[in-house]
Amino acid sequence: MAANPPVIRFRDVEQIFTGNDGRPIHALTGLDFEISRHEFVSVLGPSGCGKSTLLRLVSGLIHPSAGAVEIYGMEVTEPRDEIGIVFQKPTLLPWFNVQNNVTFPMRHKYGRVHKEDNERALELLDLVGLADFAQKRIDELSGGMQQRVAIARALLLDPDILLMDEPFSALDALTRDEMSFELLRIWSERPKTVLFITHSIPEALLLSDRIIVMSERPGTVREIIDVPFARPRTMQTLSDPAFTELANHIRGELFSKPAAA
Amino acid sequence: MKNIIRLLDRFAPVMAVVCVLGIWQAATWLFAIPSFLLPSPTSIVAAGFGVDPSVWIGHIWATLRVAVMGYALAIAIAIPLAISLSMSRLLSRTLYPMLVVIQSTPIVAVAPIIVVTLGAGDMPKVVITFLITFFPIVVSTTTGLLATPEELIELSRSLRAGRTREIFHIRLPYALPFLFSALKISTTLAVIGTVVAEFVAAEKGLGFFIAFSTSFFKIPQAFSGLVILVLLSLTLFRLVGFVQKRFAPWSLPKSER
Ligand SMILES: Nc1ncnc2c1ncn2[C@@H]1O[C@H](COP(=O)(O)OP(=O)(O)OP(=O)(O)O)[C@@H](O)[C@H]1O
Ligand SMILES: [Mg+2]
């Protein structure tokens, strides 16, 4: 383990944007942490603390103002193939059916879809529980089903790293719980290094190996919490007293103001 | 009972038209409205049948030809222009004001100038039709191209798919609902443009036919030309709607699929 470089590494990362009025917006500061192979790490933090920005840094869509983001020990300078992204909204293409949405990354990146890609898409649809929906139109699916399609799409190019930006926050509470357990199942069948952004403390606790709790803007790591619950996690995990205790601890962390320097 | 209601619902538009025509016919007859003020529907139909079919076909063909050419030219220029406008801030900042100026100029007022500049033939008429048609297509398409969800663009960038694929695989299809609504509006505009051009200078076409009939006080005949024009407009409009339904049904609201 020690011999391998971490999968994702933030080295004293700082992110400053220029606002519309030309004034600098200090989004992230002093981010310094590592994520190892097949770890499931959640990021929790108040709105606007730079969680999505953190994700964009990993995906190579933006570059840090200072410090460096590394994947497998190499600095991220542009988007890389080993990353799959799932967004808050499923953002599927309404002119394609479900299967063609899943194969879209192939068509988009390489210009054509092979027979194997279609087979792979069907496999992935089976994995996310939509085996019978391959030929359906997008508007025939519920929100939860659409997000499953988006997950299958993100897995098409078999990424090592899965970045998820509040993927379930647009879903109703019941569907959301269901999707959390689905994601756990998918992750145990196809282990990946996952960076998962959420606003939900229970969701983070249920899913993660570790939780990065962030402070308000400029966002920085306030605490990294090791989640002790054994896997596989189930409904019982949710009713564990330690679960509630940890949730309360994190809630306190999130709502307390930073200590005066 | 249910069937009757369904039939009523189905034929309501037709019945409304029939009613209006009936009232119109009755009014012209009751109040003895002279036909140069408002001809009765029957006299319009009679006047229409009084014109030789080959003459009709000649005029319809002349108008249709120019309208379709102007329309096609507008599409051919508007879509690439919209793509460039959506891609480059500099272009949109320099070209957009110019487009707005062109759009704000009353084409009817410019038409005679264009005819003088470009001479006889289809050319000036096509240009006038083009000018009146292309602006809504540019604006709608540009809006559509820029309305693509940010996440999809990020997905595209994260795949390093390139700008061309981003436009053709994501942005253009996303702009189709916008494009089609502009294309529908533009069918009507294309017919208007052609008629305006024919008023100014033509020896054929439905616009010319109406102007010519009016100048000889053949008002019912002018009205019959108008009816044909309306039918032409409607047909083109429906044709675009058909193309959309056939080739891009997803771009229609659910109720219209
Ligand atoms: N491209 C950009 N240009 C300017 N400012 C930006 C840009 N991207 C993000 N910001 C700013 O950086 C800060 C962090 O944004 P970010 O979207 O990462 O927050 P977030 O934690 O994801 O918020 P939320 O929980 O609401 O999704 C915000 O104040 C935002 O306005
Ligand atoms: Mg965000």
Side-chain angles (χ1 to χ4, degrees), chain A residues 28-100:
Chain A
L28 293 170
T29 188
L31 284 190
D32 204 283
F33 57 85
E34 296 176 356
I35 297 175
S36 37
R37 193 170 144 78
H38 294 177
E39 212 184 354
F40 198 121
V41 174
S42 290
V43 180
L44 264 176
S47 196
C49 74
K51 302 183 294 297
S52 299
T53 305
L54 189 154
L55 213 84
R56 277 200 201 98
L57 284 166
V58 180
S59 68
L61 290 167
I62 56 173
H63 307 294
S65 316
V69 179
E70 293 173 358
I71 291 181
Y72 296 125
M74 285 186 299
E75 188 168 341
V76 179
T77 50
E78 60 166 358
R80 300 168 53 130
D81 290 346
E82 51 271 88
I83 290 181
I85 309 180
V86 180
F87 300 96
Q88 179 171 358
K89 281 179 274 158
T91 50
L92 303 172
L93 306 168
W95 53 90
F96 283 143
N97 66 15
V98 168
Q99 180 173 354
N100 289 338

Side-chain angles (χ1 to χ4, degrees), chain A residues 56 61 78-79 81 87 91-95 104-105 107-109 111 139 153 157, chain B residues 149 151-152 154-161 165-166 169-170 173-174 250 254 257:
Chain A
R56 277 200 201 98
L61 290 167
E78 60 166 358
D81 290 346
F87 300 96
T91 50
L92 303 172
L93 306 168
W95 53 90
F104 179 72
R107 174 177 290 111
H108 196 47
K109 190 172 167 71
D139 59 13
R153 177 177 69 185
L157 299 178
Chain B
E151 289 95 337
L152 273 176
E154 291 204 339
L155 178 71
S156 173
R157 303 247 157 99
S158 75
L159 290 166
R160 281 175 294 138
R165 288 221 176 107
E166 177 190 309
H169 287 185
I170 299 178
Y174 247 96
W250 57 268
K254 256 189 185 158
R257 264 173 223 168

